[in-house]
């Protein structure tokens, strides 16, 4: 194998695929990146051999085709530190020792037999759906953060994709909150419900800004794998098997109070309160009062810390309905406010112990349900 | 000066006056109210079992060398004619609450440091702002008249000196160290009277010829820090009568709540041990609910017959407060311990709730109200609050399990 490629391209490719490499490996080869040189390209692949595989193809002048696996961490760190010049990678016939040279730096890195690299199976399905990368990234950002991070209910560690003829509804729930985003499609060649690991989608979201063409999503016939094809890069994930909870019934159909506020102001108030809430389970209390006699309504955001002090901020709000009080974990509020792209947001509540609903004003694609904290008022 | 308080604008600053109020032989005094025949006789409060210790000894018994924390058997050898009274904590707690309530009437900031002692901030009291002594006299008179108890009070410029002073005021006395006179008052006293000075520290300083608090006061603070670390710094300041630790009017939120019991005879019956753990859980749960806290971690403590002590703890994903949950974790930890070490005779078994957090509970999506066992706990707490601890019991505990 012999090839020449650009340092910045190889660096970008390695950073993309190395995200699939597990932090700790039982199988040494999963700590490696597979390089396959052919035609005018080098294809880089990495996988944890469990849930995710990422490939990334870069341009290269291939003098002699071939393949090798090299330790991901060492190779990435080395390439990242090289100057932005041309890199030559050479591998002698039947050798496992690759030489890399760039400018006046030379290195020799020991690799492993590419045939031992875990096979990344082709994902072939009966239908596919195409999505604009930027719109997919926005959708993912709205839901991925609300997926569960502990494994007690594996289905909750994934994003539920309900792919219909005209939309994909993405949903996550971690037991305390629920995020649902409806992504409209021009057309869909796929109608299917699948659960994709949130971790894989977080990696996909990182790759999307580079994508120049629509992303193709394919589910294999056995419904065990999903492929996201970005053109220069692909991400394959094993689907999570199981039944996602019927979340529609968890979205309250009505409320007794609706409070509309500016996202920026609200986020600032919650951030300030969260500093005080740090010692006390992160509790932020909201008290909404409707306006009276021409006065605007207001939303009070408060927090207190045992023995230290308290914080109180009042922001203008359009409050419809009754005066209401409800307490939330500040982290949950900040995380949802961080992903909103609208200027204003509405909070809807019914009682201090029933779910609160967060909706971006003027954007009905998204709804977020967050359970309150039960506190003594 | 008054580093420990906020003074408003041009208000005159009064010298800090801290009172340490300590009830004399508290348990004994309460028992004498119940049974006046005990007055004037040597009395020991405590159990009679082979492992019992003295919880409180009357001055008459102290004359024979008896003291609290001494094994009962040893105390009785020293003073065989002493009357032994089993402790009645319900009564002591009631008297203690009345005592603290009375202190709070007299001072805006009262910090309890035990059933029978408390610090009270008397700074700036009285018409001229200099009424600390008069206030303390009034406290002593009310405690005597309304509770029938003797309280010794020491007044000084800081907590440490006040504590030393109240010890010196006993029995039934009042001692007021003039403002600014803390260091001079402490100087001639033996070092061991300073609460900070533990026996090892006293011993080490004695080797250097240092025996009084005044001798410590003139030692180089840097040398003390090098010798004893942070404790050396505190020691130097306290010895010089410097102590700006405020009296905390608001009680600190508890950091942990625990219950343990030492058996009169070693126990190896698993049903009984679990029952005891459930009893601990019941009391810990009630304490947590009263304090508005939840426990992240539950810890089991077991002391075997050979005095080796083992602890096992479990950290919960969701902080717990309910008796049922605490008991379940306690039983599971014991089962885990038994699986590892076998069912061995147990001398002591205890349960602790630690890592306490604010009681607020993050509700789950699929649950719309407080969990059922927590509502049950609150109902039981309310009944006990009104009718006493024995008014209701859980089925499993009164009938025995299985």
């Amino acid at each position: 194998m012999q090839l020449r490629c650009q340092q910045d391209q190889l660096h970008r490719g390695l950073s993309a695929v190395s995200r699939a490499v597990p932090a700790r490996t039982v199988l040494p080869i999963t700590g490696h990146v597979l390089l396959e040189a052919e035609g005018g390209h080098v294809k880089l692949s990495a996988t944890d051999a469990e849930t995710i595989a990422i490939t990334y193809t870069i341009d290269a002048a291939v003098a002699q085709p071939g393949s090798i696996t090299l330790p991901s961490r060492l190779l990435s760190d080395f390439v990242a530190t090289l100057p932005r010049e041309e890199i030559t990678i050479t591998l002698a016939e039947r050798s496992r020792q690759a030489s890399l040279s760039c400018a006046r730096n030379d290195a020799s890195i020991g690799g492993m037999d590419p045939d031992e690299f875990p096979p990344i199976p082709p994902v072939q399905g009966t239908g596919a759906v195409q999505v604009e990368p930027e719109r997919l990234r926005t959708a993912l950002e709205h839901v991925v953060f609300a997926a569960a991070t502990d494994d007690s209910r594996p289905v909750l560690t994934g994003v539920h994709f309900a792919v219909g003829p005209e939309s994909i509804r993405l949903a996550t729930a971690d037991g305390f909150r629920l995020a649902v985003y409806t992504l409209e499609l021009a057309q869909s060649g796929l109608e299917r419900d699948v659960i994709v690991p949130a971790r894989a989608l977080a990696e996909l979201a990182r790759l999307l800004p580079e994508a120049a063409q629509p992303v193709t999503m394919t589910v294999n016939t056995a419904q065990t794998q999903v492929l996201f094809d970005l053109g220069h890069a692909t991400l394959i994930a094993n689907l999570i098997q199981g039944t996602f909870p019927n979340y529609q019934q968890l979205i309250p159909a009505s409320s007794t109070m609706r409070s509309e506020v500016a996202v920026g102001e609200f986020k600032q108030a919650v951030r300030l309160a969260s500093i005080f809430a740090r010692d006390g389970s992160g509790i932020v209390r909201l008290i909404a009062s409707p306006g009276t006699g021409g006065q605007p309504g207001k939303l009070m955001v408060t927090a207190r810390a045992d023995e230290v002090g308290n914080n109180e901020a009042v922001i203008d709000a359009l409050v419809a309905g009754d005066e209401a009080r409800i307490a939330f974990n500040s982290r949950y509020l900040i995380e949802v406010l961080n992903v909103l792209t609208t200027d204003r947001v509405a909070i809807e509540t019914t009682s201090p112990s029933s779910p609160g609903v967060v909706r971006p004003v003027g954007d009905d694609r998204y709804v977020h349900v967050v359970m309150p904290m039960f506190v003594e008022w | 000066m008054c580093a420990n308080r906020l003074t408003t604008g041009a208000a005159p600053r009064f010298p800090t006056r801290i009172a340490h109020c300590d009830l004399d032989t508290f348990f004994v005094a309460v028992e004498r109210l119940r049974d006046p025949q005990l007055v004037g006789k040597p009395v020991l409060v405590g159990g009679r079992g082979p492992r019992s210790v003295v919880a409180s000894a009357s001055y008459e018994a102290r004359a024979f060398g008896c003291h609290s924390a001494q094994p009962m058997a040893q105390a009785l050898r020293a003073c065989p004619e002493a009357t032994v009274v089993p402790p009645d904590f319900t009564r002591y707690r009631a008297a203690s609450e009345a005592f603290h309530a009375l202190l709070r009437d007299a001072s805006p900031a009262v910090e309890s440091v035990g059933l029978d002692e408390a610090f009270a901030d008397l700074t700036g009291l009285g018409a001229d702002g200099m009424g600390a002594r008069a206030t303390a006299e009034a406290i002593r008179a009310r405690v005597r008249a309304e509770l029938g108890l003797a309280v010794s009070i020491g007044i000084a410029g800081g907590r440490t000196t006040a504590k030393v002073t109240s010890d010196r005021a006993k029995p039934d006395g009042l001692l007021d160290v003039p403002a600014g006179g803390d260091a001079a008052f402490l100087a001639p006293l033996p070092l061991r009277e300073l609460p900070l000075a533990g026996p090892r520290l006293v011993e080490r300083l004695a080797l250097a010829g240092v025996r009084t608090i005044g001798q410590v006061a003139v030692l180089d603070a840097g040398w003390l820090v090098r010798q004893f670390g942070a404790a050396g710094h505190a020691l130097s300041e306290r010895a010089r009568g410097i102590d700006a630790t405020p009296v905390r009017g608001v009680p600190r939120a508890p950091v942990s709540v625990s219950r343990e019991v030492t058996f009169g005879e070693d126990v190896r019956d698993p049903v009984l041990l679990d029952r005891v753990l459930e009893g601990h859980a019941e009391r810990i749960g009630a304490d947590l609910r009263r304090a508005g806290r939840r426990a992240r971690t539950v810890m089991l403590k077991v002391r075997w017959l050979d005095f080796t002590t083992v602890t096992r703890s479990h950290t919960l994903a969701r902080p717990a407060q309910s008796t049922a949950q605490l008991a379940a974790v306690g039983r599971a930890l014991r089962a885990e311990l038994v699986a590892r070490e076998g069912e061995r005779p147990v001398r002591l078994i205890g349960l602790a709730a630690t890592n306490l957090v604010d009681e607020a509970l993050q509700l789950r999506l699929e649950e719309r109200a407080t969990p059922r066992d927590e509502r049950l706990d609150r109902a039981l707490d309310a009944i006990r609050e009104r009718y006493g601890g024995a008014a209701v019991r859980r089925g499993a505990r009164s009938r025995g399990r299985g």
Side-chain angles (χ1 to χ4, degrees):
Chain A
M1 184 175 92
Q2 189 175 6
L3 64 94
R4 281 177 294 126
C5 63
Q6 291 302 315
Q7 182 271 344
D8 57 337
Q9 282 204 38
L10 183 59
H11 172 44
R12 203 175 314 138
L14 287 171
S15 352
V17 300
S18 65
R19 308 279 311 183
V21 174
R24 272 181 301 236
T25 61
V26 189
L27 216 56
I29 198 150
T30 57
H32 282 226
V33 178
L34 174 67
L35 288 83
E36 296 168 290
E38 202 175 24
H41 306 284
V42 182
K43 184 173 164 193
L44 311 170
S45 310
T47 178
D48 61 2
E50 244 172 58
T51 52
I52 181 172
I54 301 176
T55 72
Y56 196 103
T57 306
I58 60 169
D59 295 334
V62 180
Q64 193 189 351
S67 58
I68 182 72
T69 80
L70 294 174
S72 160
R73 182 76 185 279
L74 177 64
L75 181 64
S76 302
D77 289 352
F78 178 68
V79 171
T81 318
L82 289 174
R84 264 183 94 150
E85 285 180 36
E86 194 177 70
I87 300 179
T88 307
I89 304 178
T90 330
L91 183 71
E93 196 73 23
R94 269 188 283 279
S95 153
R96 298 274 152 72
Q97 203 73 19
S99 335
L100 279 78
S101 58
C102 175
R104 295 166 71 185
N105 304 286
D106 289 300
S108 167
I109 300 178
M112 289 170 86
D113 182 354
D115 290 341
E116 282 175 24
F117 195 78
I120 299 173
V123 176
Q124 281 156 353
T126 44
V129 56
Q130 291 206 322
V131 194
E132 286 300 322
E134 190 48 35
R135 297 183 58 215
L136 179 59
R137 195 178 65 84
T138 306
L140 292 175
E141 257 178 14
H142 277 78
V143 296
V144 165
F145 72 93
T149 47
D150 73 292
D151 287 335
S152 56
R153 283 179 74 189
V155 292
L156 297 186
T157 62
V159 177
H160 183 254
F161 278 66
V163 188
E166 284 161 352
S167 68
I168 306 177
R169 212 167 49 230
L170 298 90
T172 49
D174 67 359
F176 304 112
R177 51 193 173 158
L178 165 70
V180 183
Y181 191 95
T182 307
L183 178 61
E184 265 136 46
L185 302 172
Q187 59 172 63
S188 158
L190 187 70
E191 277 186 51
R192 202 151 294 172
D193 279 17
V194 292
I195 307 169
V196 185
R199 185 175 94 77
L201 293 170
E203 298 311 333
L204 177 64
R206 274 173 209 280
L207 296 172
L208 287 170
E210 284 184 20
Q213 60 196 65
V215 177
T216 308
M217 173 180 170
T218 311
V219 176
N220 69 347
T221 327
Q223 297 225 52
T224 54
Q225 288 183 320
V226 62
L227 161 73
F228 293 93
D229 189 345
L230 283 67
H232 67 296
T234 65
L235 182 142
I236 295 168
N238 276 342
L239 295 173
I240 299 173
Q241 302 302 321
T243 309
F244 201 77
N246 175 10
Y247 57 84
Q248 290 294 357
Q249 64 184 27
L250 299 174
I251 304 172
S254 62
S255 66
T256 56
M257 189 285 294
R258 181 179 187 277
S259 179
E260 194 184 305
V261 294
V263 173
E265 242 184 312
F266 187 34
K267 193 156 57 173
Q268 168 80 354
V270 174
R271 280 222 185 99
L272 280 174
S274 73
I275 297 168
F276 281 80
R278 228 157 11 201
D279 292 338
S281 313
I283 305 154
V284 168
R285 292 157 198 253
L286 308 182
I287 302 169
S289 324
T292 46
Q295 291 292 309
K298 58 183 200 238
L299 183 69
M300 195 194 284
V301 183
T302 75
R304 54 175 180 247
D306 284 352
E307 302 176 26
V308 179
N310 56 57
N311 168 263
E312 194 176 294
V314 177
I315 56 178
D316 287 338
L318 284 171
V319 181
D322 312 333
E323 169 156 319
R325 44 182 56 190
I326 192 161
F328 290 110
N329 182 327
S330 60
R331 181 167 68 86
Y332 291 171
L333 283 184
I334 290 170
E335 284 184 350
V336 58
L337 294 174
N338 272 342
V339 300
L340 298 184
T341 50
T342 56
D343 291 338
R344 295 179 69 77
V345 59
I347 318 291
E348 299 168 4
T349 68
T350 301
S351 82
S353 59
S354 48
V357 182
V358 178
R359 294 179 196 274
V361 174
D363 181 0
D364 55 11
R365 288 174 295 188
Y366 187 53
V367 58
H368 187 87
V369 178
V370 54
M371 284 306 288
M373 296 194 76
F374 177 81
V375 298
E376 299 288 335
W377 280 87
Chain B
M1 285 301 289
C2 317
N4 58 334
R5 81 201 57 253
L6 292 169
T7 44
T8 47
R13 292 187 171 198
F14 297 109
T16 304
R17 302 274 72 200
I18 305 294
H20 181 252
C21 310
D22 196 350
L23 292 164
D24 294 346
T25 61
F26 176 49
F27 298 167
V28 171
V30 174
E31 293 303 336
R32 282 173 171 169
L33 289 174
R34 187 180 52 79
D35 180 4
Q37 294 204 344
L38 297 173
V39 177
K41 293 180 186 158
V43 178
L44 298 169
V45 175
R48 273 192 171 279
R51 288 170 193 164
S52 299
V53 293
V54 176
S56 178
S58 72
Y59 284 108
E60 293 80 3
R62 289 184 198 186
F64 291 89
C66 304
H67 56 86
S68 54
Q70 183 182 34
M72 183 58 84
Q74 192 185 331
L76 281 173
R77 274 196 298 279
C79 180
E81 64 271 43
T83 310
V84 178
V85 185
D88 177 357
F89 281 93
T90 315
R91 208 179 271 270
Y92 306 154
R93 255 192 294 276
S96 171
E97 270 167 34
F99 166 62
H100 284 94
L102 206 145
L103 292 178
R104 280 191 292 270
D105 277 354
S107 156
V110 173
E111 179 181 339
S112 175
V113 283
L115 279 175
D116 56 351
E117 54 180 309
F119 287 103
D121 191 338
L122 305 183
T123 306
L125 296 184
D128 59 353
M130 304 296 281
R133 190 187 176 98
T135 307
E137 274 165 0
I139 289 172
R140 282 176 34 78
R142 274 193 72 189
V143 171
R144 158 85 46 215
E146 294 174 28
L147 308 179
L149 298 173
V151 58
S152 295
I153 301 183
I155 306 172
R159 294 169 56 128
T160 310
T161 318
K163 166 102 177 137
V164 173
T165 310
S166 75
D167 275 347
R168 290 249 144 196
K170 282 179 178 297
D172 197 10
L174 168 65
L175 205 55
D176 180 8
V177 176
D182 287 21
F185 167 78
L186 293 173
L189 303 181
L191 182 57
R192 66 181 142 74
E193 290 203 20
L194 202 64
L196 268 176
R200 278 195 43 222
L201 192 145
V202 169
E203 204 176 296
R204 279 179 63 191
L205 283 169
L207 289 175
V210 175
R211 291 194 167 76
T212 67
I213 300 176
Q215 284 175 303
V216 175
V218 297
L219 284 177
D220 175 38
W223 181 81
L224 282 169
V225 171
R226 282 192 297 280
Q227 293 296 312
F228 305 106
H233 176 74
L235 184 70
S236 170
E237 290 213 324
R238 302 297 183 269
R240 287 179 283 144
I242 301 168
D243 180 6
T245 317
V247 174
R248 287 176 174 271
V250 184
R252 251 171 219 267
V255 210
S256 72
V257 180
S258 62
R259 285 286 188 286
E260 58 183 48
V261 61
T262 303
F263 298 115
E265 280 169 28
D266 303 307
V267 174
R268 61 192 318 164
D269 173 9
V271 175
L272 176 59
L273 290 170
D274 277 351
R275 193 92 51 80
V276 171
L277 281 180
E278 284 155 17
H280 289 340
E282 186 88 77
R283 293 169 138 201
I284 293 168
D287 283 352
L288 289 176
R289 295 187 288 272
R290 204 175 306 121
R293 310 287 278 176
R294 282 174 193 275
R296 265 193 199 291
T297 305
V298 178
M299 190 180 85
L300 170 77
K301 174 176 166 186
V302 171
R303 183 168 297 149
W304 305 120
L305 186 57
D306 62 2
F307 275 95
T308 52
T309 306
V310 285
T311 57
R312 286 281 176 283
S313 64
H314 176 72
T315 296
L316 299 153
R318 278 183 109 191
Q321 188 184 54
S322 85
T323 297
Q325 259 180 299
L326 297 169
V329 178
R331 284 193 303 263
L333 287 171
R334 207 186 71 77
E336 199 178 283
L337 188 63
V338 168
R340 184 186 292 257
E341 305 208 10
E343 201 66 81
R344 297 166 56 185
V346 172
R347 184 182 182 88
L348 170 152
I349 189 160
L351 195 66
T354 63
N355 234 331
L356 303 189
V357 294
D358 203 85
E359 109 172 292
L361 178 72
Q362 173 64 55
L363 298 178
R364 285 179 179 279
L365 268 174
E366 280 126 314
E367 108 200 327
R368 295 291 161 88
T370 333
R372 189 182 159 275
D373 55 353
E374 302 209 348
R375 278 176 301 174
L376 174 66
D377 284 339
R378 291 198 183 265
L380 292 182
D381 286 349
I383 294 170
R384 292 202 183 99
E385 191 92 352
R386 187 177 293 190
Y387 301 106
V392 273
R393 270 193 215 171
R394 284 166 208 268
R397 272 178 51 70
S398 53
R399 272 185 280 109
R401 291 180 323 122

